[in-house]
Amino acid sequence: MTMSLIDWSARISAMADALSVPDGGFSVKPDDGSDVRTGYAVAVHPEHERVFDGLVTSNDLHEYIGQAKDALSLPGRVLGGWRDPATGRVYLDVSVVTTDLSEAMTLARETAQLAIFDFSAMESIPVTVAA
C-alpha cells in the first residue's frame, strides 16, 4: 500500500512531533509509511546521518528524505529518527531492523553508533564495546 501526498504530509508532521520529546523517535518503512514494531533498529548508513542541535521540523524531514532517497529505496531500509535524551540532539538516519540483539550491536559498532533501539522495550540501548 502506498500513501497519498496528503497522508505523507500528516505522517511527516507526526514524525517531527515524535522528535520533540527526550528519547522520542520513529522507525518508518519508506514504502508505505508504517511504523516498525519489532526488533532492533540500527543506523547503517553513516553517510546519511544528520544531527540537529535543536528541534526538527516537517520541512527538515522532507529535505532529509529527498537527500537520502537512494539509501531509503534499498531493501530492508527504514527511515529513523531519535532524540538523544542526554544531549537533546536529534539524529536522522537510514536504518535496518534485525531481530537479533547481537547482530544489532555488531552492526552498530561497525558504523560507530551511540545506541540501537529495542522495539520490545521501547527504549534505546547504548552500544557496548565488544568483549
Side-chain angles (χ1 to χ4, degrees):
M1 177 179 96
T2 58
M3 295 177 67
S4 72
L5 185 58
I6 291 170
D7 292 339
W8 266 112
S9 211
R11 184 71 178 111
I12 288 172
S13 179
M15 290 187 298
D17 288 345
L19 295 171
S20 68
V21 298
D23 211 22
F26 56 82
S27 291
V28 173
K29 296 176 186 174
D31 58 341
D32 65 5
S34 65
D35 289 316
V36 177
R37 299 192 186 278
T38 61
Y40 303 94
V42 185
V44 293
H45 289 275
E47 72 276 15
H48 287 294
E49 183 177 271
R50 298 293 177 269
V51 181
F52 295 80
D53 285 324
L55 293 179
V56 171
T57 67
S58 294
N59 287 341
D60 294 327
L61 289 171
H62 279 286
E63 185 177 309
Y64 176 78
I65 292 167
Q67 292 169 352
K69 67 182 176 192
D70 290 341
L72 287 167
S73 68
L74 294 171
R77 298 312 191 261
V78 299
L79 170 62
W82 173 60
R83 183 170 174 199
D84 182 345
T87 66
R89 288 188 180 110
V90 173
Y91 295 81
L92 299 179
D93 55 50
V94 177
S95 299
V96 295
V97 177
T98 177
T99 57
D100 184 290
L101 177 58
S102 178
E103 178 185 13
M105 282 293 176
T106 298
L107 288 170
R109 282 186 214 98
E110 289 172 355
T111 54
Q113 297 303 305
L114 299 174
I116 62 173
F117 190 78
D118 177 354
F119 289 99
S120 295
M122 291 304 289
E123 65 184 18
S124 300
I125 301 173
V127 174
T128 57
V129 177

